[in-house]
Amino acid sequence: MKNSGGEKLNNIKKAVWLYFLLLVFEGALRKWFLPGLATPLLVARDPVALYVIFMVWQTGNMPKSNYLTGMVVITVIAVFTGMLFGHGSLSVSLYGARILLIHFPFIFAMGRVFDREDVLQVGKVLLYVSIPMALLVAMQFYSPQSAWVNRGVGGDMAGAGFSGALGFFRPPGTFSFTNGTTLFFSFVAVYVIYFWLNPNIVSRWLLLGASIAVMVAIPLSISRSLLFGIGVSVMFSLLPALKGGKYFGQIIVVTIVVMLGLVGLNQMSFFQTATEAFTSRFETANTVEGGLNGVFADRYLGGLIAAIKSSAEQPFFGQGIGMGTNAGAALITGKGTTFLVSEGEWGRLIGEMGPVLGLLAISFRLGLSWDLARKAYSRLRINDTLPWILLSFVLLNLPQGQWAQPTSLGFGVFATGILIASLKFRPIPSSNPNLINQTQA
């Protein structure tokens, strides 16, 4: 029997939720439960994203976007130029192309089918997951790399932790690499801030528990990027507070809660030890990279100036799409940790696709970021803070997120789709066969 429009919509939403669950837990599958399938699980989200795109397109509801059309066109061109003038490997080209031919369109398809309630439900789930995730991170922090909780991808006994400070390693949580911990808790922090500004949406005890989880994760992660990301979200939250009213009062409440939480946590030895390791890492990195200014200049801006300056040295058609990914490097050289093009995202795009196509790809991501920022600010002007707070995370991961890395790609794509869905005026009626609901123009 043919599905009704409402049933189709529900099935597509379930697929989006599967994408989210795989994003959070695929690393656990690759490390602990299905290590023999570690390689195919690397692209486990791809068929899910394809299904969502196809179903939305089949109903005639795939959005028309110049960013989407332009990105697809230049990616197809890049596949051919990579084969003709670059590395010449079809498998490497297809692996690189999937980033922009599958996951980038997934942003728009997801934004069509998710509504405001779905966006809030994602936040509630993140709050619930953050508490056991923080406990897992703590276990990994204090356990040797040979412990089961620190086992690497494919069951690697060398461990999945990354160099930290004072003999401690940066823990990866349920993810394949430690950047997953940073991205996960940065995303959780966005919702924690929003729910504190709008405290009647979730249980106060759940919100308090998630808040503690985020505070604990900062030193345990030994990640300056996590501190930087949370700081950006806090700065975004100050703008609604400056308008006065209830948000100003909520900011005062949040400040008091955070201060009391930090005072209480600092009385515990496990938190003190983690803080010492984090501080040591912070001071060492400050000497080498210039502190948070280094995080902003080197990681957020992604070496744009350096990439542009070196673009003249790149072949006109680039070295070939996919060559800058770790998997692409593994296919070409047999060493998956080698950066054959550039570690920075913008440098990778220009190096892979050439100065013309690479800069076009960058401009599409920047243009979409600007449009979303403009729309989120317009919603803020009518006291809708959700898109604005979400924007703080998106602006760190859409314009220059290192999408060659699967976890970074997943969070950048999923969060952008969430932001687009949050801009909708009203939820989509489940009985409506037309999956589209108008978003703010």
Side-chain angles (χ1 to χ4, degrees), residues 53 62-75 100-109 364 368:
I53 294 167
M62 195 66 187
K64 296 179 180 179
S65 166
N66 291 333
Y67 302 116
L68 176 56
T69 302
M71 195 70 87
V72 168
V73 169
I74 65 172
T75 304
L100 300 178
L101 291 182
I102 297 177
H103 293 270
F104 190 76
F106 175 76
I107 292 173
F108 299 89
F364 290 144
L368 178 59

Side-chain angles (χ1 to χ4, degrees), residues 214-231:
V214 171
M215 286 189 284
V216 167
I218 294 174
L220 287 173
S221 68
I222 323 181
S223 170
R224 294 181 305 149
S225 295
L226 176 55
L227 179 62
F228 176 73
I230 294 175

Side-chain angles (χ1 to χ4, degrees), residues 261-338:
L262 289 175
V263 170
L265 289 170
N266 203 44
Q267 304 304 310
M268 303 178 184
S269 59
F270 89 94
F271 189 79
Q272 292 174 351
T273 301
T275 301
E276 290 173 3
F278 178 80
T279 303
S280 175
R281 163 63 184 164
F282 198 96
E283 293 173 349
T284 302
N286 282 357
T287 303
V288 177
E289 300 177 27
L292 288 180
N293 288 333
V295 175
F296 179 76
D298 297 333
R299 299 186 184 185
Y300 178 69
L301 295 181
L304 176 61
I305 296 175
I308 293 176
K309 286 183 177 180
S310 64
S311 62
E313 303 172 4
Q314 297 289 346
F316 182 79
F317 292 111
Q319 301 177 56
I321 191 169
M323 188 172 177
T325 65
N326 284 344
L331 290 171
I332 294 173
T333 68
K335 298 179 180 179
T337 58
T338 303

Side-chain angles (χ1 to χ4, degrees), residues 66-199:
N66 291 333
Y67 302 116
L68 176 56
T69 302
M71 195 70 87
V72 168
V73 169
I74 65 172
T75 304
V76 172
I77 294 174
V79 169
F80 284 100
T81 57
M83 292 295 298
L84 295 174
F85 307 107
H87 50 64
S89 170
L90 179 60
S91 58
V92 173
S93 294
L94 292 178
Y95 183 82
R98 54 176 266 286
I99 296 172
L100 300 178
L101 291 182
I102 297 177
H103 293 270
F104 190 76
F106 175 76
I107 292 173
F108 299 89
M110 174 185 168
R112 286 297 196 187
V113 298
F114 258 32
D115 57 38
R116 186 76 167 217
E117 285 302 312
D118 296 311
V119 173
L120 294 176
Q121 191 62 33
V122 167
K124 295 174 185 178
V125 171
L126 280 170
L127 262 59
Y128 277 110
V129 175
S130 69
I131 299 172
M133 184 72 78
L135 293 174
L136 173 62
V137 166
M139 290 177 61
Q140 292 173 329
F141 182 88
Y142 284 105
S143 298
Q145 288 299 294
S146 59
W148 183 81
V149 291
N150 281 322
R151 194 165 296 176
V153 171
D156 184 5
M157 296 300 293
F162 194 65
S163 60
L166 300 182
F168 293 97
F169 289 79
R170 283 177 262 183
T174 58
F175 302 95
S176 301
F177 189 59
T178 57
N179 72 321
T181 300
T182 298
L183 290 164
F184 174 81
F185 281 104
S186 296
F187 199 25
V188 171
V190 168
Y191 276 103
V192 166
I193 291 171
Y194 174 75
F195 288 135
W196 274 115
L197 293 177
N198 302 270

